[in-house]
Amino acid sequence: MTQPSVILATASYDHTIRFWEAKSGRCYRTIQYPESQVNRLEITPDKRYLAAAGNPHIRLFDVNSTSPQPVMSYDSHTNNVMAVGFQCDGKWMYSGSEDGTVKIWDLRAPGCQREYESRAAVNTVVLHPNQTELISGDQNGNIRVWDLTANSCSCELVPEVDTAVRSLTVMWDGSLVVAANNKGTCYVWRLLRGTQTMTNFEPLHKLQAHDGYILKCLLSPEFCEPQRYLATASSDSTVKIWNVDGFTLEKTLVGHQRWVWDCVFSVDGAYLITASSDTTARLWSMSTGEDIRVYQGHHKATVCCALHDGAETTAT
């Protein structure tokens, strides 16, 4: 198989992962995932592999193969894996789980290399652009910064006591971090520059974005500049697009019929892909706020999506 320049994948409670032609909307590959639901999908920076975070495993699939079997399985979590991502060169993977741990995995070796205890179910983990800190958010409302160099927790924040942090996102240049919670609120901090450590969180804004849960928040990528957006996907079936300059509402994306679980920007920030309990994924134009493609094929809730339409980055 020749590698498509745009890799788009979705996963559903129907126990399948589907790969889609982004432009036509055609599903060209389906992987059965019988042993659990898939909570999160992520594509490696070199576009070769797709990581599927399930319960309690993480499976790695070859993007360019037709084989239904994973090429690798990562097995030391003991509950739902809710977060997965890759270091920028693809040398290692990180994960967060409802078992209360954040883990780091060397992709070339079996077993987990490092483990951090959050002491509550982890819902979300992001890697700071400096590649040396992980930020996790958990069910008890804690946000923790894990300093990978010092191998310790360097900072703890609790924006709202006993209110689960559902999603975290960091601006591509490391200047902002946003945390979204179960009460529809986004907390925004400025990360003070000029230091390699980012333990200096300066409160910037509190945004009441939705009446329902926020299931995913996401800041726009580097090539979207000078525009900077925050997308918030909600149980109210909408996605809202906020201008980071002042956090004013730019657009509300209306079209999904049920909860919107996940979203991902295209590399230039011109498009957004969303995944919803209404079984569909959708492609939205950021300029018009209209959905221009609906990906139909899943039989149950579509809960996560992954997109890689940029250049491949490989380990140097």
Side-chain angles (χ1 to χ4, degrees):
M1 280 174 72
T2 55
Q3 181 169 288
S5 60
V6 177
I7 298 158
L8 170 60
T10 57
S12 163
Y13 284 165
D14 66 12
H15 292 281
T16 66
I17 298 166
R18 288 178 178 263
F19 288 85
W20 307 85
E21 289 175 357
K23 284 197 173 117
S24 71
R26 185 179 78 88
C27 174
Y28 64 87
R29 180 184 176 193
T30 303
I31 297 170
Q32 301 296 324
Y33 202 96
E35 63 260 50
S36 83
Q37 69 195 51
V38 175
N39 303 305
R40 184 67 62 210
L41 293 172
E42 196 69 47
I43 298 158
T44 55
D46 62 8
K47 292 186 172 181
R48 289 180 61 194
Y49 301 104
L50 175 76
N55 185 2
H57 316 284
I58 304 164
R59 306 265 197 252
L60 207 61
F61 293 93
D62 188 333
V63 165
N64 300 307
S65 161
T66 53
S67 167
Q69 300 305 318
V71 294
M72 191 74 127
S73 185
Y74 303 90
D75 296 327
S76 72
H77 280 300
T78 58
N79 205 330
N80 268 308
V81 182
M82 302 302 288
V84 66
F86 296 96
Q87 178 257 1
C88 64
D89 290 332
K91 289 194 176 83
W92 48 266
M93 176 174 73
Y94 61 88
S95 60
S97 165
E98 288 181 346
D99 66 15
T101 66
V102 173
K103 292 180 190 264
I104 291 181
W105 316 77
D106 185 324
L107 289 181
R108 298 153 300 186
C112 149
Q113 266 54 52
R114 289 193 195 177
E115 180 178 305
Y116 301 105
E117 286 280 347
S118 187
R119 300 190 295 279
V122 176
N123 292 326
T124 175
V125 184
V126 288
L127 177 62
H128 187 279
N130 65 19
Q131 308 294 305
T132 63
E133 280 152 319
L134 290 170
I135 313 172
S136 66
D138 70 28
Q139 196 64 19
N140 290 358
N142 304 298
I143 295 170
R144 291 192 173 90
V145 180
W146 308 95
D147 182 331
L148 306 183
T149 311
N151 208 19
S152 64
C153 178
S154 60
C155 179
E156 293 190 35
L157 284 171
V158 185
E160 210 169 323
V161 177
D162 291 333
T163 303
V165 177
R166 293 296 308 219
S167 183
L168 287 165
T169 180
V170 185
M171 187 60 85
W172 64 269
D173 60 0
S175 60
L176 293 178
V177 62
V178 181
N181 72 19
N182 266 355
K183 291 184 177 170
T185 311
C186 284
Y187 288 88
V188 186
W189 294 271
R190 188 183 280 115
L191 298 177
L192 299 182
R193 298 179 190 222
T195 58
Q196 265 306 97
T197 87
M198 43 148 292
T199 47
N200 303 333
F201 282 70
E202 184 182 272
L204 182 66
H205 197 76
K206 181 182 174 183
L207 175 67
Q208 192 56 44
H210 298 267
D211 292 331
Y213 304 131
I214 300 176
L215 303 168
K216 174 81 175 217
C217 63
L218 188 62
L219 287 160
S220 55
E222 178 179 1
F223 298 114
C224 187
E225 296 287 319
Q227 277 78 36
R228 292 189 160 198
Y229 299 115
L230 171 70
T232 56
S234 171
S235 60
D236 67 13
S237 78
T238 70
V239 179
K240 290 183 179 177
I241 307 297
W242 307 86
N243 192 324
V244 170
D245 183 19
F247 290 93
T248 51
L249 182 63
E250 287 270 321
K251 291 184 176 70
T252 302
L253 309 184
V254 179
H256 282 301
Q257 303 303 307
R258 295 192 182 174
W259 291 23
V260 185
W261 284 96
D262 199 6
C263 63
V264 58
F265 281 104
S266 62
V267 70
D268 60 359
Y271 301 97
L272 189 76
I273 303 266
T274 55
S276 167
S277 292
D278 66 13
T279 76
T280 70
R282 287 172 191 251
L283 172 69
W284 306 82
S285 161
M286 288 289 288
S287 60
T288 66
E290 301 291 317
D291 58 340
I292 48 183
R293 183 71 61 237
V294 180
Y295 305 97
Q296 288 178 298
H298 285 299
H299 307 302
K300 291 184 179 175
T302 302
V303 291
C304 52
C305 52
L307 175 70
H308 190 338
D309 63 327
E312 299 149 39
T313 53
T314 49
T316 46

